[in-house]
Amino acid sequence: MDLRNLDMNLLLPLHALLEERSVSRAAQRLSLSQPALSASLAKLRRLFGDDLLVRHGNTYELSPLAVSLRERTWTAVQTMDRLFSAQAEFDPATSTRDFRILGADYAFRIAGREISLAVSAAAPHARLTFETLARETLEGAPESLRDCDGMILPHGFIGSERYLDILEDRWVVVAARANPELGETLTTDDLASRPWVLAMNRTTSYTPAVRQMQTLGIEPRVAVVTPSFATLPALVAGTDRIGLLQERLALAVQDLHDLRILDFPVPIAPIKDAFWWNAVYDADPGHQWLRSVLARVAEEMRLPGGVDAAGA
């Protein structure tokens, strides 16, 4: 497709229509008349050779093509917004920039509050978007880092030289406090024989500690797999299962789910989460400011001697 002949004014109507699934709501969202949005929809249908919005009774549903376009359209809108909001200088006091950070729920649970407070204090009109990292985005890194301000992930997932260490933690095992199968300390036999709850236990998305156990010849007996560390404690509570969790998160939910926190009986490498970004943002004044905020937050979350505040 020749971009010179493409009507870029159709991008925002396409985004609104796919999000709202309604011509009237999309028109209201863009402060346009309903006939104007209907005309845009007609152009989009001719452009894509597809209905995009398919009527079912009194509502519209997205066609299969529209479903595939929805995420890409959102990314395109965000990219355009960052492109045309770029400035030679960045003034946090007046900026309305939307900073988009991707990551796992653990990072947002532990550091999200501190990051959001620091951004809001200096840039009260800016917006901070935390978004759960999709598998496709992770597999596409570091190229996919172009579509966001950065990702918060442990070392080892992204082959990029541009990162800022945010927090450190260690892996622990959680179990129901009343679990009769476990003693005061965990043994290597427990690791191999007890039923496990694991988060993100896939080929392309896994917990490094699991790989370390397997390297030591310990194959966990997986009973439940969950995509989220946030849901893991509830899947362990009141059962004979054990779960793998970051200590900072385990301490935060221990009383809520009546859990015990147990140390590994074998050496497991610590967790080092970092903020990763693409080289295209190196000289971006707004991104430079965001990185300075993250560096300050990381320092404030750390106690003297290299021990993280929340894990002390």
Side-chain angles (χ1 to χ4, degrees):
M1 182 178 293
D2 189 345
L3 291 178
R4 292 172 297 180
N5 298 324
L6 184 61
D7 185 356
M8 299 301 291
N9 291 322
L10 292 174
L11 178 58
L12 289 180
L14 174 62
H15 176 58
L17 287 164
L18 296 184
E19 290 294 314
E20 300 294 342
R21 305 185 188 189
S22 163
V23 173
S24 59
R25 290 198 301 270
Q28 185 177 14
R29 176 171 176 166
L30 297 177
S31 299
L32 296 175
S33 67
Q34 188 166 330
L37 250 293
S38 295
S40 294
L41 177 58
K43 292 180 181 178
L44 289 164
R45 282 170 166 166
R46 289 195 296 271
L47 177 65
F48 288 105
D50 186 86
D51 285 340
L52 300 177
L53 295 182
V54 182
R55 181 180 288 278
H56 284 272
N58 295 325
T59 62
Y60 283 98
E61 293 184 4
L62 299 182
S63 70
L65 175 62
V67 171
S68 70
L69 289 174
R70 186 179 179 187
E71 180 65 25
R72 283 180 280 176
T73 302
W74 189 92
T75 299
V77 169
Q78 294 298 312
T79 301
M80 294 287 285
D81 180 67
R82 286 194 296 273
L83 174 64
F84 289 105
S85 63
Q87 299 173 316
E89 296 182 358
F90 179 78
D91 180 8
T94 59
S95 175
T96 58
R97 179 164 170 167
D98 181 5
F99 293 102
R100 179 173 172 239
I101 299 177
L102 279 58
D105 54 357
Y106 158 74
F108 300 147
R109 173 68 172 79
I110 298 302
R113 181 177 184 274
E114 286 73 16
I115 294 172
S116 65
L117 290 176
V119 169
S120 297
H125 306 293
R127 182 170 66 176
L128 183 63
T129 300
F130 290 136
E131 184 176 331
T132 302
L133 181 63
R135 181 181 64 183
E136 294 78 12
T137 305
L138 176 58
E139 293 174 350
E143 287 74 17
S144 56
L145 284 167
R146 291 176 176 269
D147 300 327
C148 62
D149 288 288
M151 303 178 187
I152 300 179
L153 285 172
H155 284 263
F157 284 91
I158 297 179
S160 173
E161 298 177 354
R162 288 165 170 82
Y163 66 88
L164 172 68
D165 285 327
I166 298 296
L167 58 89
E168 295 183 0
D169 206 341
R170 70 186 189 109
W171 293 106
V172 295
V173 175
V174 292
R177 201 183 301 273
N179 188 335
E181 304 296 328
L182 298 176
E184 291 299 318
T185 59
L186 207 61
T187 68
T188 54
D189 287 341
D190 291 326
L191 297 181
S193 63
R194 296 291 94 212
W196 281 86
V197 179
L198 295 178
M200 304 187 301
N201 194 48
R202 296 192 298 264
T203 302
T204 57
S205 181
Y206 59 87
T207 303
V210 174
R211 294 292 187 266
Q212 294 176 53
M213 283 194 291
Q214 292 171 331
T215 300
L216 295 171
I218 301 169
E219 189 65 42
R221 182 161 64 89
V222 182
V224 181
V225 175
T226 176
S228 167
F229 286 111
T231 59
L232 189 149
L235 297 171
V236 171
T239 73
D240 64 345
R241 304 165 184 158
I242 59 177
L244 184 67
L245 208 59
Q246 305 89 343
E247 185 180 33
R248 294 158 66 98
L249 181 55
L251 289 169
V253 302
Q254 180 179 21
D255 292 339
L256 176 64
H257 295 285
D258 197 25
L259 298 176
R260 295 169 57 192
I261 300 176
L262 300 163
D263 291 329
F264 267 95
V266 295
I268 298 293
I271 305 164
K272 293 185 177 181
D273 269 23
F275 175 74
W276 308 81
W277 70 91
N278 191 284
V280 297
Y281 294 111
D282 281 353
D284 179 342
H287 201 274
Q288 291 175 338
W289 174 84
L290 175 64
R291 299 199 301 266
S292 71
V293 170
L294 293 175
R296 188 167 63 251
V297 169
E299 185 62 29
E300 291 172 352
M301 292 180 65
R302 184 180 297 276
L303 293 176
V307 180
D308 288 321

